[in-house]
Amino acid sequence: MPNAEAQAPAQQHTASSRLVDVQARITGLSQRLRPYVWLWPPVAFSAGVASFFLVDRQQWLGGALALAMLMAWLLLLSESLIQRRLANHGYPHLPRGVTTFIAQMIHQETLFFSLPFLLATTVWSSGQAVFTVLFMGLALLSVLDPLYFRLAERHRWLYFAFHALCVFVVVLVTLPIMLHLTTGESLAIALAVMVIFAVPSLVNLLRPKRASSWIAMIGLAMLLAGAGWAVRGWIPPANLWLTGYALSPGFVVSNRNPSGEMALTSKAVASRGLYAYTAIRAPRGLSETVYHEWRHDGELIDRIPLEIRGGRAQGYRAWTHKQNFPANPAGDWRVDVMTPSGQRIGVVRFTVGEAPDDVQVVDGTIHIPRGLPGLDWRQLIPDQKSDTGGTLLEDK
């Protein structure tokens, strides 16, 4: 009988032949898909829109779409490790062009899947617009084959940085859907994961050879994480946005509706106070604390916490009642709706003056925010129930 040493080369040859066959199939499939690759971005974008709807409509289905995308990312992230292990054991591996094509499709899937969430939660009058436009640019880059493949072949450190940013956004979008993590928790995890996947970019850029170089590289990675946290106000809260807002002198708690009419004069707001009403949409199952930050001429006057719960069709209705205005309340006011991590969900602006004929009159009318957050896309889905929840808090 042949001994084990004689069987080993034969087994390795068989395994190698199988790998060659599998890789030939993958290569052939990628070549057949190339003429139709232009379909992938709109498919991914449609999947993102579907998940966006289904977070409210069918939680499990929206989570399944997010899970499928994360599984694709695990495949991509393990690709280089698998290729290296195959090479070390003498097995063949896929050509770089094929693996880059697969990575491109996953990058497109990530960016176009996430775009509906970013577009719907961006406060366009803030720095969040810069962040969302940046990711729109990355999505465009992912479909421009000459630029994408040149980046992958000639500028590896930029390619890995691109990869790290895609990881960041996919974690930011999917964790609140799948695990019901708060916006701040998802942001912190996304930043940590981004830094980990930015390490290959730093290695290709700095090419550290000594211990001091490695220490400097680790310090640079930590600096990157700190910079990301410092600019968190520019990052949209990818699963929270304002669906409606109102200002009023009164509030009917039984109907959960703002009421009454008042001219915003200094005397009126000082004597009657003012209600700020906001409806905030969140994924089903998510509970989070948000804040109404009352600011007078840019200065923070009050920061009032509100508990919201996700899953309501028209957003979770919460309101605060400000009674203690400054001695001279005239000027520009705004109510920033903020997460604990400092990400802006929306803003309500108003001006207080002196003459009744020259000031804004509020009457409890619920306004829809400008831009994509104001588009009530859920009306396209039949059998949506109205919101019945809310929270009332007053300043002290």
Side-chain angles (χ1 to χ4, degrees):
M1 294 180 64
N3 57 31
E5 293 182 358
Q7 291 179 345
Q11 292 174 349
Q12 183 174 4
H13 176 73
T14 301
S16 179
S17 299
R18 290 175 179 172
L19 278 174
V20 169
D21 182 59
V22 171
Q23 291 171 2
R25 292 175 182 272
I26 295 174
T27 302
L29 180 61
S30 67
Q31 291 174 348
R32 287 193 295 271
L33 287 175
R34 281 183 184 275
Y36 309 101
V37 72
W38 60 273
L39 286 171
W40 190 238
V43 167
F45 185 82
S46 299
V49 172
S51 183
F52 189 83
F53 284 136
L54 294 169
V55 167
D56 278 341
R57 186 70 172 171
Q58 295 290 341
Q59 178 73 12
W60 68 270
L61 195 50
L65 287 172
L67 180 61
M69 189 172 62
L70 284 179
M71 293 298 293
W73 264 106
L74 289 176
L75 176 63
L76 176 60
L77 297 178
S78 60
E79 175 266 333
S80 59
L81 177 62
I82 293 173
Q83 297 277 59
R84 192 178 302 113
R85 290 183 66 87
L86 289 175
N88 290 339
H89 289 80
Y91 292 112
H93 53 80
L94 288 170
R96 173 171 284 187
V98 175
T99 58
T100 302
F101 173 73
I102 296 172
Q104 181 188 27
M105 295 188 69
I106 295 178
H107 286 147
Q108 290 175 356
E109 177 194 23
T110 297
L111 293 166
F112 283 93
F113 179 93
S114 302
L115 268 180
F117 291 87
L118 297 179
L119 291 172
T121 58
T122 296
V123 180
W124 294 97
S125 60
S126 70
Q128 292 176 2
V130 176
F131 180 92
T132 302
V133 169
L134 168 65
F135 271 90
M136 292 172 65
L138 294 181
L140 178 62
L141 173 62
S142 73
V143 300
L144 298 176
D145 287 358
L147 289 178
Y148 182 88
F149 281 89
R150 182 181 302 173
L151 189 71
E153 295 295 331
R154 301 182 185 179
H155 307 285
R156 296 297 288 177
W157 74 273
L158 278 176
Y159 180 70
F160 285 121
F162 178 90
H163 188 71
L165 286 172
C166 289
V167 174
F168 171 78
V169 75
V170 73
V171 173
L172 189 71
V173 166
T174 56
L175 286 187
I177 300 173
M178 296 179 59
L179 303 180
H180 301 156
L181 297 184
T182 66
T183 307
E185 292 168 341
S186 299
L187 175 61
I189 294 173
L191 285 172
V193 173
M194 182 187 71
V195 169
I196 293 171
F197 288 102
V199 169
S201 176
L202 297 176
V203 170
N204 277 269
L205 176 64
L206 302 176
R207 301 188 183 279
K209 297 180 179 179
R210 296 176 296 179
S212 58
S213 300
W214 282 100
I215 293 174
M217 190 191 73
I218 294 172
L220 188 58
M222 295 299 101
L223 183 63
L224 176 64
W229 186 256
V231 299
R232 63 191 182 276
W234 287 30
I235 301 173
N239 287 273
L240 301 174
W241 76 89
L242 212 61
T243 61
Y245 66 89
L247 295 169
S248 64
F251 208 93
V252 181
V253 177
S254 59
N255 295 329
R256 296 176 173 85
N257 284 319
S259 66
E261 181 177 305
M262 181 177 71
L264 293 180
T265 62
S266 297
K267 181 178 180 180
V269 297
S271 61
R272 301 180 65 182
L274 189 65
Y275 285 89
Y277 161 97
T278 56
I280 302 169
R281 184 269 188 194
R284 188 182 306 277
L286 179 66
S287 296
E288 182 158 356
T289 300
V290 300
Y291 293 87
H292 277 185
E293 294 185 351
W294 292 73
R295 295 180 180 271
H296 180 213
D297 291 332
E299 180 183 356
L300 180 63
I301 303 299
D302 281 302
R303 188 170 188 257
I304 307 174
L306 299 162
E307 293 291 333
I308 65 169
R309 293 187 296 274
R312 302 182 189 276
Q314 302 301 325
Y316 190 87
R317 297 183 290 185
W319 52 91
T320 54
H321 184 201
K322 181 161 183 59
Q323 296 174 297
N324 297 324
F325 280 86
N328 182 18
D332 294 326
W333 285 82
R334 75 173 192 261
V335 180
D336 289 326
V337 187
M338 306 292 289
T339 69
S341 56
Q343 295 166 268
R344 182 177 283 106
I345 302 171
V347 60
V348 182
R349 302 178 188 275
F350 62 96
T351 301
V352 175
E354 298 297 339
D357 296 335
D358 298 330
V359 297
Q360 176 184 356
V361 176
V362 296
D363 57 5
T365 300
I366 298 176
H367 301 278
I368 298 175
R370 294 179 179 179
L372 290 177
L375 295 179
D376 193 3
W377 297 339
R378 292 178 302 282
Q379 291 182 355
L380 300 175
I381 304 175
D383 300 328
Q384 289 291 326
K385 296 180 180 180
S386 62
D387 175 31
T388 59
T391 303
L392 170 63
L393 288 175
E394 301 192 9
D395 66 320
K396 302 297 183 181

